[in-house]
Amino acid sequence: MNFYNLKHKEEQLSFKEATIKGQGKDKGLFFPEDISKFSPEFLKNLPNLSDEEIAYQVMKDFAGDEIPEAELRKIVAETIAFDIPLKKVTENISVLELFHGPTLAFKDVGARFMSRCLGYFLKNETRKVTVLVATSGDTGGAVANGFYDVEGIEVVILYPKNRVSPVQEKQLTALGKNIHALEVNGSFDDCQALVKQAFSDDSLTEKLLLTSANSINVSRWLPQQIYYVLALKQWLKNNSESPVICVPSGNFGNICAGILAHHRGLPVKHFIAACNVNDVVPEYLRTEILKPKETVATISNAMDVGDPSNFVRILELFDKEFNQVKNKLSGYTIDDEETLKTIKRVEKDYGYVLDPHGAVAFVALEKYLAENGGKGFFLETAHPVKFPDSVEKATGKSVEIPKSLEELMKQEKFTTEINPQYEELKEFLLKK
Ligand SMILES: *Cc1c(COP(=O)(O)O)cnc(C)c1O
């Protein structure tokens, strides 16, 4: 399928080209030129289909004319090769657990799909390929894991110094080999700005085949639809009513994929964007003014984004009609104090341990349902063990560390420190 640049509609690329290029002219995001509907049979049959079949059906219209069926089936099966269970937490609230992948966070899904697509597309490439990515926390680990030891592909990850958790930091700095971590003296927005600048620097991209693995990349963004459909498969077994879905949001790639699946026919009553105090989108929904802000550091740090890149795709899905957006999407702002209180309360009342991102989503959903009725689920995007300090502070209990993490935490950290100045990044990329 072709994808167009949201800033320059005339720039149209295939799925392969958009995957390799990451973003278009003037830092524009790519968007599918045609959004096919799911067939009524597919939706009716959902509870009887295998997860692999569902994943293939979700992705085939975007990638199926460029990746042969057998290959694409293999890629999607590997993408979702872990549990994605929907569990009941309270009478009206369920949780979709997206943290059973190798780095214990939902970004594993997008990163695994993307690394496998790139591997397929670049099989015969002779130049060195560099994947350049900015992370506010979990992207780095998921990308590092997805690309680790892939021949011919170098990965450079920028992360804000002291703003990611120890586990997150280890997941992106301990691998070594083709994975290079850059510790930036600045915020996630600084990291993202540096990456965007590299992509628009022709003098650099002449020498290196640069590609992004951020959630702006279509091959990371689109496969996130899969778990919304897998959630509905489980939901429909026990519910006749469509769910309200609440997504802890930072850069808005995840929720945008859910809204895309809904546009294709997936039954969803309403979406909720749950944010921490970085609340550009809830503010937009209140005022109709979309105004990027300085990033504020919080305990749900993967959502510390002051200028959410993917929101333009949501606007595109709703034809930029404010009333349409508002009809389908609500926003909530939850501060750290309420997040901690929620972790404590939910553990005490329901015996369920939330991570800070999931807690923001839980309480946002709870507020919405109290005002509007209905039932729904939220996405738990990371395992609580990734944020032990907050969870222990809230519950007074220690979080059990899985074996795989114990091993990781013992390993050495490899990083290079840079200032948020483009020249420093460029120098690193050219000499590497
Ligand atoms: C990245 C991330 C988010 C935010 O997802 P977006 O797609 O950027 O909105 C939420 N929770 C966790 C744990 C994350 O890693």
Side-chain angles (χ1 to χ4, degrees), residues 104-107 135-139 168 188 215 220-221 224 227 247-256 274 300-305 308 310 355-358 379-383 386-387:
L104 312 180
F106 82 97
K107 292 192 175 73
T135 183
S136 58
D138 281 336
T139 308
Q168 287 177 329
F188 169 64
S215 53
R220 280 224 17 226
W221 170 51
Q224 299 178 107
Y227 46 72
V247 186
S249 296
N251 218 8
F252 279 74
N254 192 0
I255 194 168
C256 183
S300 47
N301 65 36
M303 309 195 300
D304 294 352
V305 182
N310 281 286
D355 98 295
H357 305 79
L379 276 51
E380 177 48 293
T381 45
H383 192 291
K386 297 192 87 171
F387 304 92

Side-chain angles (χ1 to χ4, degrees), residues 293-310:
K293 292 185 186 172
E294 278 286 309
T295 309
V296 179
T298 74
I299 58 170
S300 47
N301 65 36
M303 309 195 300
D304 294 352
V305 182
D307 187 5
S309 309
N310 281 286

Side-chain angles (χ1 to χ4, degrees), residues 259-293:
I259 295 173
L260 173 61
H262 173 60
H263 272 251
R264 300 176 69 193
L266 194 72
V268 179
K269 194 167 162 209
H270 198 70
F271 283 94
I272 297 168
C275 296
N276 59 31
V277 294
N278 295 283
D279 65 344
V280 172
V281 172
E283 194 64 26
Y284 164 77
L285 291 167
R286 271 192 296 276
T287 61
E288 207 179 334
I289 300 167
L290 188 65
K291 195 164 137 230
K293 292 185 186 172

Side-chain angles (χ1 to χ4, degrees), residues 289-347:
I289 300 167
L290 188 65
K291 195 164 137 230
K293 292 185 186 172
E294 278 286 309
T295 309
V296 179
T298 74
I299 58 170
S300 47
N301 65 36
M303 309 195 300
D304 294 352
V305 182
D307 187 5
S309 309
N310 281 286
F311 198 67
V312 289
R313 284 181 169 142
I314 294 184
L315 294 179
E316 187 76 3
L317 279 169
F318 289 109
D319 299 324
K320 304 188 188 77
E321 290 283 341
F322 181 68
N323 285 330
Q324 281 195 40
V325 180
K326 243 187 105 124
N327 243 334
K328 209 70 219 185
L329 178 67
S330 297
Y332 285 85
T333 307
I334 309 296
D335 65 17
D336 280 356
E337 192 188 336
E338 192 168 13
T339 306
L340 288 170
K341 273 193 194 150
T342 304
I343 296 174
K344 179 179 175 149
R345 177 168 60 87
V346 172
E347 197 273 334

Side-chain angles (χ1 to χ4, degrees), residues 74-242:
K74 186 166 150 254
I75 290 173
V76 294
E78 287 173 9
T79 298
I80 55 155
F82 40 83
D83 286 346
I84 303 181
L86 183 72
K87 297 178 178 172
K88 218 169 157 147
V89 180
T90 78
E91 194 45 41
N92 299 328
I93 297 180
S94 297
V95 55
L96 184 70
E97 290 184 349
L98 293 172
F99 55 72
H100 297 283
T103 71
L104 312 180
F106 82 97
K107 292 192 175 73
D108 281 326
V109 173
R112 287 161 78 83
F113 185 79
M114 180 194 179
S115 58
R116 281 156 182 80
C117 287
L118 265 185
Y120 174 78
F121 288 139
L122 298 172
K123 258 197 319 235
N124 303 316
E125 176 63 50
T126 47
R127 281 172 295 172
K128 270 232 157 141
V129 182
T130 300
V131 175
L132 183 62
V133 55
T135 183
S136 58
D138 281 336
T139 308
V143 169
N145 196 285
F147 284 99
Y148 181 60
D149 221 6
V150 175
E151 214 171 304
I153 299 187
E154 298 289 320
V155 179
V156 176
I157 301 168
L158 283 73
Y159 70 100
K161 184 182 167 84
N162 296 332
R163 300 227 188 148
V164 302
S165 78
V167 171
Q168 287 177 329
E169 187 173 40
K170 272 289 156 70
Q171 283 179 333
L172 48 104
T173 59
L175 289 165
K177 283 203 180 173
N178 60 327
I179 313 295
H180 312 275
L182 289 182
E183 195 171 4
V184 177
N185 286 309
S187 67
F188 169 64
D189 290 328
D190 292 328
C191 296
Q192 203 169 26
L194 288 172
V195 166
K196 284 186 177 173
Q197 200 171 344
F199 279 103
S200 42
D201 178 356
D202 294 339
S203 70
L204 182 71
T205 52
E206 270 165 21
K207 301 191 182 95
L208 287 176
L209 178 46
L210 266 196
T211 179
S212 94
N214 274 353
S215 53
I216 56 172
N217 192 299
V218 292
S219 70
R220 280 224 17 226
W221 170 51
L222 294 169
Q224 299 178 107
Q225 292 172 91
I226 296 170
Y227 46 72
Y228 289 90
V229 185
L230 295 180
L232 258 290
K233 166 185 169 176
Q234 299 173 71
W235 179 266
L236 292 171
K237 286 181 181 165
N238 301 309
N239 298 278
S240 48
E241 193 188 339
S242 302

